[in-house]
Amino acid sequence: MGRDFIYALRGLRRNIGFTLAAAITLALGIGLNTAIFSVMYGVLLAPLPFHDAARIVSVGTHFKDKARTIPRLTGGDLTDIIHDNRVFEAISVYTGGEIGVQLGDRATFTGTWFVRPEFFGVFGIQPVAGRLFGASDKALLAEVSEGFAKRNFGSASAAVNKAITIENRLYQISGVLPAGFAYPRNAEVWVASPVQLENLNRSAYNYAAVAKLKPGISRDGAQAEMETVGARLASAFPADNKAKTFAVTGLREQITGSIRLTLFFLLGAVTLVLLIACANVANLMLARAAPRAREFAVRAALGAARSRLVRQLAIEGLTLGLLGGALGIVLAQAGIDLLIRFAPANLPRANEVHLSVPVLLFAIAISLFSSLLFSLVPAWNAARADVNEALKQGGVRGVVGGQSGWLRSAVVVTEISLSIILAIGAGLLFRSFWALTQAPLGYRTDHILVMYAHEPANGLDQSLRAIKTVSDLYPKLAAIPGVVSVSAAMGLPTGTYGSNGMYAVRGKNTFAPGQDLPQAGFRLANPNYFGTMGIQVMRGRDFADTDVYDKPFVAVISESLARQSFAGEDPVGKQLQCGLDSLNYMTIVGVVGDVRQDSPASTPAPELYMPLAQHPFYANEVQVVMRTSVEPSALMDPVRRTVAENNPTMATKFTTMDAMVSNSIATPRFRTYLAGIFAGLAMLMAMSGIYGLMSYMAAQRTSEFGLRMALGAQRGDVMRLILRQTAGVTAIGIAVGLAASLLSTRVLSSILFGVQALDATTYIAVLVTILVVALAAAAFPAWRATRVDPVKALRQE
Amino acid sequence: MSEAMIQLDGVKKVFITDEVETHALSGIELNVRKGEYVSISGPSGCGKSTLLAILGLLDTPSDGSYTLNGKAASGLKISERARIRNREIGFIFQAFNLIGDLNVYENVELPLTYRGMGSADRKKAVMESLEKVGMSHRVKHYPSQLSGGQQQRVAVARALAGNPSVLLADEPTGNLDSQNGEAVMDLLRDLHRNGATICMVTHDPRYAKFADRTIHMFDGRIVEESIEAVV
Ligand SMILES: Nc1ncnc2c1ncn2[C@@H]1O[C@H](COP(=O)(O)OP(=O)(O)O)[C@@H](O)[C@H]1O
Ligand SMILES: [Mg+2]
């Protein structure tokens, strides 16, 4: 066996061209798979880096009628779940996000989360300095991250007992949590939330919850318990809870759910690339084995066991596979770096992606699997070779023409069909992405500077004052050269804030039990928000400076909401109420155009716009939008300075509307680009496969071509022969690839936007492309065939 | 005297391989009249096949001139040479050189397909020439299903099908046993009697004597011409 390896290595070294071609092809396939798998492993499979991570779950609401789960709960439901808890060792609510934290004379946007002391128990986290706040603490306490402590106080221990201000309240830092712990999203500050949740209704999904299962309680067990609670609440509160229950989801699944499908899709794509690479190497091995067929035949005739020959091929394959695997791992390292660099910013756990031991094991496993795959064909070929036939070689006397080469053709057909599947997948993603970039959004994205602004406020008075502080800024911002108009909203399209819920139209429905209420997105805006954003006012009016807290409440609705609740009527003047804060009736004063809110992929949905000034509890954290006449990012500095001069306590963070929209489609962009690269690679490999096949075929047919030319065939005639043969092989590949694509691209349906999985344009474009690629690959062998010298080709040996 | 079909003046052929010059033909003068049957013999390597390749426009002389059927053959484009080969010349090779994937009919039809002949005309010409060689009952057979003699008869039929001006045969019996060899020779003689112009390379003096004229070559030159008494 060891000797066989040495022979194999020697053989590979002798055939350095073959070895390099095969090893590089394999390395590409294995490297890509390893890189994608490492992302998959780090994001989806590796345990979360928490103590007893498998027991950490998220509790959310499941809507039975819509078969949909959201990772949020209402205050009322959560309170009952905590009260009835029998399955969780610890459970904690958490709410928050990036808000302004004031430190001395500075204000910075910081991931700030309100949690219960149980939160730390869920994660089994211990402070590196100070202590964790507990249920008995009466003072306002906060934990901060090690990074936050070092940045602001120099060290972890120096931060303990220092003060930070959040929403005008002074918190004392009681402890510092270790570096690397940043849950929930980007958390740097954790402060104690009140025991009693603020909003105890059962219709506003404002709270998230994490919990740790008691030892011995399975996730299914906890789920069953949650359903029991759900059923009880459903009968106790049918109006709100009739159609809902609660869902226990592994925290890991909950964090990574959104990227899951994309990663599986990418893994599928690179698997196809690897299969194509294996096919290519199989054909290279067949080509290499061909001159040795005689040698093998002679040896077989002399009594060598077939199994020995097969073993020799298998060992060569294995050696080659491991060589390719080693190179592939090197490539994978580079690939991982690139993947992480270009991954969407919201890729969860990106920092946990690296060449870990499981990933290396995966690389070795697929190397071995590949060896098996590409050694199979030549080994089978060698094992079944007819000794007699091989010894005769050249077949029947007096006859020219190629061996049929059907085995190699079959391998190339496989390559072609696999690359068609990939190319059609990539084509569909591209068309879908293109549609995303072209979708009418309902607002303009260019020349809009966005400033996330957080003015600390606590209680109604401070909130009302914050509204004034923010709007007092507008004239100063508008005075900055390049700023055309200024307004603000809570709930910008593609932004991180938003709320939704049910509403009731006066005279049609009420918040009374048993009512099936319509849904809408809730957004708050200042006057001139619609104008600044280019959202069209279709009827009625925009909000006015006079729509303030102590004046009658008003609202503006989107066209979709008008269709949903006021078909055939004029909505202006009608009244409605919603569960955002108070159930005050609001009079509809205007109707505006529909907007694709979450991303260009979302369908325009009913939206209910309310004046910021009439909903002060949401008004101190807004997104200020500035229409500019110049490149908006150029105004970030002047705007930041103006704000700092006037309101040092206001935390600000800048972006542009263009960047926000671009970020909202980062995941589709990422997978589209990757799919494009993979499909391109697959095409190149298929191309080299076709080239190899056609060179072989042309070489086989050299004397036939010589004969045909002697008989008067023109060069074009000979060229056509090769191209026709290419077209034949390609046609079979296309037929198989089409059939497979029709069956398989359906899995893409759920991530396609504005294009059907059976999009004819994509199919046709791919088919034309593959035909062109195939003919281009065959062009050189075909050209070479026309250079055959008939005299030489026909010379008798 | 009937007109000249082939006229070679001072034809030389030099092969240069790896800096070695091989003078395969060194000044060949040859005239073949229309309807003449010339056999070419000589030791192996003396240049017979090279001469035939030049006559068949498969190769070009390094020096000298070649006139075929009144037209100068030098300076023709590759496509013109292919066209002339197709229309004026019928090749018969030692290794019968049929295409394995094509049946007898298709093999014979092959040269005709390169001149854009209609399929009815092709069929007529193919069947006529297969009848001449006595193979018309085997049109559907593949070469591998035929004996060597039958294959060569099919090859002759292919050479005839296009009604060429000249038949060029390079050791057409070289791969055949004597019985089959004689049958092919009889076939060529019959064709000659019906007016075909033939240049045939052969080692075998028995077959050489069927020709009107035998040319002996040695080391790239014609060293002797003997004219057979017309029987
Ligand atoms: N393509 C070629 N390149 C180099 N030498 C050649 C080539 N073709 C023929 N020759 C040489 O030219 C001489 C004549 O060859 P050929 O015409 O085949 O001889 P014959 O057919 O009489 O046996 C030989 O010495 C042969 O080696
Ligand atoms: Mg010869």
Side-chain angles (χ1 to χ4, degrees):
Chain A
M1 195 75 175
R3 174 172 300 191
D4 282 330
F5 261 110
I6 294 178
Y7 283 150
L9 278 175
R10 210 179 280 161
L12 291 175
R13 206 178 52 201
R14 223 180 302 125
N15 256 301
I16 194 76
F18 157 82
T19 307
L20 278 181
I24 290 173
T25 307
L26 280 176
L28 279 173
I30 294 172
L32 279 183
N33 274 272
T34 306
I36 294 292
F37 180 77
S38 71
V39 176
M40 191 140 187
Y41 183 79
V43 173
L44 295 186
L45 303 176
L48 291 172
F50 305 131
H51 187 247
D52 275 337
R55 279 162 53 205
I56 304 178
V57 297
S58 136
V59 185
T61 307
H62 180 77
F63 299 94
K64 288 183 282 191
D65 48 347
K66 298 182 201 123
R68 209 166 75 90
T69 301
I70 58 167
R72 286 190 306 276
L73 295 159
T74 62
D77 294 338
L78 179 54
T79 304
D80 282 326
I81 287 171
I82 292 173
H83 184 263
D84 291 3
N85 169 34
R86 292 187 299 165
V87 291
F88 304 120
E89 182 179 290
I91 179 166
S92 169
V93 64
Y94 64 91
T95 58
E98 281 198 87
I99 57 173
V101 170
Q102 287 75 28
L103 264 154
D105 58 351
R106 278 173 301 135
T108 55
F109 261 102
T110 307
T112 304
W113 296 85
F114 295 83
V115 302
R116 297 296 310 143
E118 291 81 2
F119 181 87
F120 307 110
V122 168
F123 292 95
I125 202 92
Q126 289 300 325
V128 292
R131 63 176 184 91
L132 296 173
F133 55 75
S136 56
D137 281 309
K138 296 279 176 286
L140 290 176
L141 296 180
E143 307 292 323
V144 300
S145 72
E146 201 171 346
F148 184 92
K150 285 191 173 147
R151 247 190 352 265
N152 293 302
F153 304 102
S155 74
S157 50
V160 177
N161 293 330
K162 294 284 187 333
I164 55 178
T165 308
I166 300 164
E167 301 290 27
N168 287 343
R169 281 188 205 178
L170 210 58
Y171 289 82
Q172 192 181 40
I173 296 174
S174 61
V176 177
L177 301 188
F181 184 75
Y183 190 85
R185 189 165 36 82
N186 300 333
E188 292 206 287
V189 174
W190 297 261
V191 296
S193 75
V195 185
Q196 184 74 33
L197 300 178
E198 286 164 6
N199 191 340
L200 288 178
N201 73 24
R202 294 182 195 272
S203 63
Y205 298 87
N206 292 338
Y207 300 100
V210 278
K212 179 165 248 170
L213 298 174
K214 279 185 180 161
I217 299 284
S218 70
R219 212 172 285 171
D220 288 344
Q223 178 61 40
E225 172 71 10
M226 283 303 104
E227 282 169 23
T228 310
V229 176
R232 191 175 67 67
L233 294 184
S235 56
F237 309 100
D240 287 323
N241 286 40
K242 184 172 63 208
K244 69 185 172 188
T245 185
F246 309 110
V248 173
T249 315
L251 187 63
R252 183 179 60 188
E253 288 71 22
Q254 199 248 296
I255 292 175
T256 57
S258 59
I259 197 79
R260 199 180 178 79
L261 189 62
T262 293
L263 289 180
F264 271 107
F265 164 74
L266 291 177
L267 193 68
V270 290
T271 304
L272 292 182
V273 174
L274 180 61
L275 288 178
I276 295 171
C278 286
N280 240 341
V281 175
N283 253 357
L284 285 175
M285 284 187 73
L286 274 178
R288 198 169 99 88
R292 296 195 302 178
R294 245 178 123 76
E295 172 204 326
F296 275 13
V298 172
R299 287 216 249 149
L302 294 177
R306 289 257 158 89
S307 60
R308 244 204 93 80
L309 304 178
V310 170
R311 192 171 88 191
Q312 195 184 326
L313 279 170
I315 287 178
E316 272 187 28
L318 203 64
T319 315
L320 208 51
L322 291 176
L323 198 65
L327 265 177
I329 289 172
V330 175
L331 278 184
Q333 181 59 63
I336 292 170
D337 294 346
L338 284 174
L339 279 174
I340 295 305
R341 166 135 20 116
F342 292 105
N346 63 354
L347 175 71
R349 308 183 70 188
N351 58 337
E352 292 174 55
V353 173
H354 47 92
L355 266 183
S356 55
V357 172
V359 172
L360 287 175
L361 289 178
F362 172 84
I364 293 168
I366 60 168
S367 303
L368 296 178
F369 172 73
S370 306
S371 309
L372 196 69
L373 214 56
F374 65 72
S375 305
L376 217 58
V377 176
W380 178 72
N381 199 36
R384 124 210 114 97
D386 183 339
V387 175
N388 223 352
E389 191 77 11
L391 287 179
K392 266 200 296 189
Q393 255 223 337
V396 189
R397 276 183 84 86
V399 174
V400 298
Q403 253 58 61
S404 68
W406 70 267
L407 188 58
R408 294 175 192 218
S409 305
V411 171
V412 169
V413 162
T414 311
E415 285 184 48
I416 293 174
S417 42
L418 291 176
S419 47
I420 285 177
I421 301 175
L422 245 181
I424 287 181
L428 289 173
L429 288 187
F430 177 78
R431 293 258 297 161
S432 163
F433 182 67
W434 180 252
L436 276 182
T437 64
Q438 299 302 308
L441 300 177
Y443 58 95
R444 53 182 292 182
T445 63
D446 62 298
H447 289 94
I448 292 183
L449 177 64
V450 176
M451 174 175 79
Y452 280 83
H454 182 253
E455 173 68 14
N458 197 339
L460 180 59
D461 288 346
Q462 287 187 13
S463 295
L464 287 171
R465 211 172 315 128
I467 293 175
K468 196 169 146 37
T469 313
V470 175
S471 45
D472 282 351
L473 260 179
Y474 296 172
K476 297 186 178 103
L477 297 179
I480 296 173
V483 175
V484 177
S485 73
V486 183
S487 184
M490 200 290 297
L492 219 48
T494 77
T496 46
Y497 297 93
S499 178
N500 64 303
M502 295 180 282
Y503 65 89
V505 178
R506 176 168 242 165
K508 293 191 179 177
N509 31 36
T510 63
F511 272 81
Q515 288 268 359
D516 237 345
L517 291 176
Q519 290 268 337
F522 300 151
R523 303 189 186 266
L524 306 173
N526 272 151
N528 200 26
Y529 169 70
F530 302 120
T532 305
M533 288 291 284
I535 298 172
Q536 224 179 321
V537 179
M538 323 289 288
R539 290 175 89 81
R541 65 165 175 91
D542 186 4
F543 296 130
D545 291 330
T546 49
D547 298 323
V548 290
Y549 192 63
D550 45 15
K551 288 279 153 49
F553 275 30
V554 297
V556 167
I557 61 173
S558 73
E559 278 190 295
S560 285
L561 195 148
R563 265 196 306 278
Q564 175 169 277
S565 292
F566 302 98
E569 311 168 56
D570 183 357
V572 174
K574 300 275 186 333
Q575 288 194 314
L576 41 65
Q577 55 179 175
C578 76
L580 180 72
D581 40 18
S582 69
L583 285 179
N584 283 349
Y585 274 110
M586 304 172 275
T587 304
I588 298 171
V589 295
V591 180
V592 294
D594 277 334
V595 164
R596 292 179 194 269
Q597 287 289 357
D598 291 344
S599 89
S602 42
T603 350
E607 297 287 345
L608 181 50
Y609 295 92
M610 296 160 266
L612 270 166
Q614 296 183 334
H615 301 271
F617 287 112
Y618 296 91
N620 69 320
E621 183 167 6
V622 296
Q623 298 97 56
V624 177
V625 286
M626 284 156 272
R627 165 81 71 69
T628 64
S629 57
V630 298
E631 169 57 35
S633 51
L635 295 180
M636 287 178 185
D637 273 336
V639 172
R640 194 195 327 267
R641 267 198 307 274
T642 306
V643 174
E645 281 159 17
N646 291 282
N647 298 70
T649 51
M650 188 186 285
T652 58
K653 205 172 62 170
F654 292 85
T655 181
T656 65
M657 208 58 234
D658 275 330
M660 288 174 69
V661 172
S662 170
N663 282 341
S664 75
I665 52 176
T667 301
R669 183 190 299 116
F670 181 62
R671 65 182 173 229
T672 301
Y673 286 178
L674 284 184
I677 290 170
F678 300 158
L681 206 57
M683 286 267 185
L684 277 181
M685 286 186 183
M687 194 167 174
S688 94
I690 293 168
Y691 169 81
L693 177 69
M694 287 306 144
S695 297
Y696 166 79
M697 294 287 201
Q700 287 282 305
R701 295 176 73 181
T702 303
S703 45
E704 180 197 332
F705 295 154
L707 174 69
R708 284 174 182 266
M709 287 166 92
L711 298 180
Q714 298 286 356
R715 286 183 163 175
D717 295 317
V718 171
M719 197 170 239
R720 261 196 297 281
L721 284 176
I722 294 279
L723 296 183
R724 196 185 304 153
Q725 199 170 12
T726 310
V729 170
T730 311
I732 302 175
I734 285 179
V736 177
L738 267 188
S741 300
L742 289 175
L743 293 175
S744 61
T745 50
R746 278 165 210 280
V747 303
L748 292 181
S749 294
S750 67
I751 55 174
L752 291 183
F753 171 83
V755 59
Q756 298 294 311
L758 298 182
D759 178 51
T761 314
T762 306
Y763 272 73
I764 291 167
V766 166
L767 296 193
V768 170
T769 308
I770 198 90
L771 208 59
V772 170
V773 163
L775 294 180
F780 184 64
W783 176 82
R784 212 167 33 193
T786 67
R787 304 282 128 170
V788 165
D789 178 352
V791 185
K792 279 197 194 123
L794 291 169
R795 192 187 304 282
Q796 274 294 99
E797 298 307 320
Chain B
M1 259 302 76
S2 44
E3 69 233 75
M5 177 60 74
I6 286 170
Q7 193 175 343
L8 293 181
D9 285 312
V11 164
K12 296 181 182 167
K13 182 69 188 180
V14 184
F15 292 109
I16 301 169
T17 42
D18 302 333
E19 320 261 312
V20 180
E21 286 190 8
T22 308
H23 293 261
L25 297 175
S26 325
I28 300 284
E29 311 287 337
L30 177 66
N31 283 292
V32 178
R33 292 187 311 279
K34 197 167 197 165
E36 203 177 5
Y37 186 169
V38 175
S39 97
I40 303 164
S41 60
S44 179
C46 71
K48 304 181 297 289
S49 295
T50 305
L51 177 60
L52 226 55
I54 287 177
L55 293 180
L57 293 178
L58 290 172
D59 212 342
T60 48
S62 314
D63 199 5
S65 73
Y66 172 26
T67 311
L68 172 66
N69 211 358
K71 277 172 283 189
S74 57
L76 292 173
K77 284 194 296 195
I78 286 173
S79 58
E80 286 167 335
R81 294 163 66 85
R83 209 177 59 81
I84 295 173
R85 276 204 298 276
N86 182 253
R87 288 171 188 258
E88 309 274 350
I89 293 166
F91 285 104
I92 304 163
F93 304 96
Q94 174 177 0
F96 329 117
N97 285 339
L98 300 178
I99 294 176
D101 287 342
L102 303 183
N103 64 23
V104 164
Y105 182 92
E106 292 160 342
N107 264 290
V108 176
E109 187 187 32
L110 196 59
L112 306 181
T113 61
Y114 292 131
R115 54 170 89 165
M117 195 186 255
S119 79
D121 290 345
R122 287 208 304 268
K123 180 159 192 192
K124 193 159 155 276
V126 170
M127 291 316 293
E128 262 174 28
S129 69
L130 278 172
E131 258 151 40
K132 276 186 202 152
V133 302
M135 288 296 295
S136 54
H137 57 303
R138 291 288 162 88
V139 287
K140 290 276 191 279
H141 284 59
Y142 282 87
S144 57
Q145 299 167 312
L146 302 177
S147 74
Q150 289 173 321
Q151 287 185 20
Q152 191 61 306
R153 294 208 329 251
V154 173
V156 173
R158 181 179 62 197
L160 292 177
N163 198 19
S165 311
V166 190
L167 280 178
L168 299 176
D170 194 344
E171 304 194 35
T173 60
N175 286 353
L176 295 177
D177 60 27
S178 61
Q179 202 190 334
N180 276 311
E182 263 165 46
V184 168
M185 278 303 147
D186 287 345
L187 190 57
L188 288 181
R189 191 175 51 188
D190 288 347
L191 293 170
H192 170 53
R193 284 196 180 132
N194 290 320
T197 309
I198 303 176
C199 292
M200 174 183 71
V201 169
T202 181
H203 285 309
D204 195 328
R206 284 177 302 156
Y207 301 145
K209 71 174 189 285
F210 289 136
D212 295 337
R213 188 153 60 114
T214 300
I215 291 167
H216 293 276
M217 291 183 65
F218 187 78
D219 206 8
R221 289 167 213 283
I222 296 176
V223 290
E224 187 196 335
E225 291 197 32
S226 52
I227 304 190
E228 293 295 318
V230 177
V231 183

